[in-house]
Amino acid sequence: MLTTVAAVVAGLIGAGIIVIGARAFWAPQAAAGFGIPGTQTGDPTFQAWLSVKAVRDIASGLFIFILLIGATPQLLGWFMLAATGIPAGDALIVRRNNGPKAAAYGVHGATAAVMLVVSVLLLVA
């Protein structure tokens, strides 16, 4: 039962990160909510870097779906554990750049915590 719940949550995380990646293409100004103050979303250089991040977000979400479909819960768990470093790193970047604590901890930190729980549930399955 817990494995199923963890797999569903992993799928929701995968879908969410795909949406975040796609949104960076159709609404780059939404990236200002990432948590880094003073982000110039209209700057072409920033938009180019945001496109790079968007492609990686979409690919990360697709990796989760590939593992959901074709791998064991443990392999998905290892992937989710490794991927927990992404939102944890994002939280550190936001804080290092004097971003709001709410974005660092409430968005990125909470995502990392959920991913950590999901990975543990999948690994003990």
Side-chain angles (χ1 to χ4, degrees):
M1 173 68 176
L2 288 178
T3 303
T4 302
V5 170
V8 168
V9 174
L12 291 172
I13 291 168
I17 199 66
I18 289 170
V19 169
I20 288 169
R23 189 170 176 220
F25 286 120
W26 80 69
Q29 68 278 7
F34 184 79
I36 299 174
T39 303
Q40 299 297 317
T41 57
D43 177 28
T45 302
F46 171 76
Q47 288 186 1
W49 282 108
L50 185 59
S51 295
V52 169
K53 180 192 173 306
V55 168
R56 282 160 178 72
D57 285 347
I58 292 167
S60 295
L62 291 173
F63 293 154
I64 292 172
F65 284 109
I66 290 166
L67 291 170
L68 274 168
I69 293 166
T72 65
Q74 289 78 21
L75 184 57
L76 176 60
W78 284 114
F79 176 82
M80 295 298 289
L81 182 60
T84 298
I86 297 170
D90 290 348
L92 291 172
I93 291 166
V94 169
R95 287 304 300 142
R96 183 187 304 154
N97 288 280
N98 298 315
K101 290 179 183 177
Y105 303 125
V107 176
H108 303 297
T111 300
V114 169
M115 289 176 69
L116 181 61
V117 169
V118 165
S119 65
V120 168
L121 291 174
L122 291 165
L123 287 169
V124 299

